[in-house]
Structure formats: structure tokens, C-alpha cells
Amino acid sequence: MSNSAAIDDREEGLAFQPKFDASGLLTCVATDAATGEVLMVAHMNDEALRKTVASGEAWYFSRSRNALWRKGETSGHVQRVIEMRMDCDQDAIWIRVEQSGAACHTGRRSCFYRKVEAGEGGARLSFVDADKVFDPKAVYRK
């Protein structure tokens, strides 16, 4: 198959052909299935992707810990997958989830709790939707 035929097959065909990066990862965006709120962005390796498809719960690969993890295995705040969508060239995945509790390890519902604002001297952050749902020190014992 020529390169252009392979690209066309990946972009227009129905074969599931995830295209992992050089580190063996896909970017995954998780949103709340009911509200559309972006909850988190994480990565999946082949095993995490297969476990997510098979179990119906979100699994990820932690780059910082170099380990596979099931969302909520420590906190109990699991993500039940409602729908998975692959992007056009199959190098990123979007999962719509039913989130129990909070998605962010900081205790917040979403990992996106700060807004970027232009200001004198450059960009800065301000808190938005930043209320904590749980105390991470109590949950993660750190």
C-alpha cells in the first residue's frame, strides 16, 4: 500500500489503527458526557487503550511515574466511558465520561481551573471554577 493510500485508509477507513507517538503514547482528552466540560488531558499507551475499551473505565499511562493506572484507583473517582472517538489521523482520542467525584488530582472537578489572562509584563493565571471537591492530602496520603 502506498503512503498516500495508507494515510487515506487511516483517515477515511473504519479500521481502528491508533498511531502512537515515538514514546508509544496517544493524547487523550476526557470530557463530561452530560455537560461537555473538559475534565482532563492525559496519555494512553497501547495497554491503557485496550483496557479502556475492554473495561469501559478510563485507564491511562503516567509519564511521570512511568506506569499504567486506572482513573480513580486511589481516589475512587472513576471515569465510566460513555463514548470514545478517535481523531482524523488516529493519534489522539476523545473520551466522553461519567465522572464520579473529581477528575483532577488537586481535588478539583476539572484540571482546567485557571484562566490565562494577558497583562502588563506577560500572561498570568487566575482561578475559575477552582473549588475543591476533596482534600488531596487525605485521599493520597501525601
Side-chain angles (χ1 to χ4, degrees):
M1 184 182 297
S2 72
N3 193 37
S4 64
I7 291 170
D8 189 55
D9 183 52
R10 178 170 266 144
E11 292 179 355
E12 299 294 337
L14 297 179
F16 187 60
Q17 303 173 46
K19 190 167 93 181
F20 297 94
D21 68 14
S23 299
L25 302 174
L26 285 175
T27 299
C28 177
V29 177
T31 63
D32 184 289
T35 67
E37 175 186 20
V38 177
L39 298 173
M40 58 184 279
V41 174
H43 295 88
M44 290 182 173
N45 64 2
D46 182 61
E47 185 178 6
L49 183 57
R50 283 187 284 108
K51 284 181 175 279
T52 299
V53 170
S55 71
E57 288 188 352
W59 285 76
Y60 298 104
F61 184 82
S62 169
R63 294 178 299 170
S64 61
R65 293 184 312 235
N66 196 32
L68 187 72
W69 58 283
R70 182 178 58 86
K71 180 66 179 159
E73 66 188 333
T74 302
S75 68
H77 300 161
V78 299
Q79 291 177 338
R80 188 171 72 83
V81 178
I82 303 302
E83 180 181 43
M84 296 179 77
R85 292 193 188 186
M86 184 63 80
D87 81 333
C88 57
D89 58 355
Q90 298 200 43
D91 66 355
I93 197 154
W94 168 30
I95 60 174
R96 296 177 58 240
V97 302
E98 204 171 72
Q99 174 71 56
S100 67
C104 187
H105 74 282
T106 67
R108 294 174 176 91
R109 168 115 179 110
S110 167
C111 294
F112 295 89
Y113 55 88
R114 293 174 292 183
K115 179 171 59 172
V116 178
E117 297 177 307
E120 289 184 32
R124 53 179 233 265
L125 301 175
S126 64
F127 286 104
V128 292
D129 303 319
D131 294 341
K132 290 194 177 192
V133 175
F134 72 92
D135 177 4
K137 288 179 183 158
V139 170
Y140 300 116
R141 312 257 192 269
K142 289 183 181 178

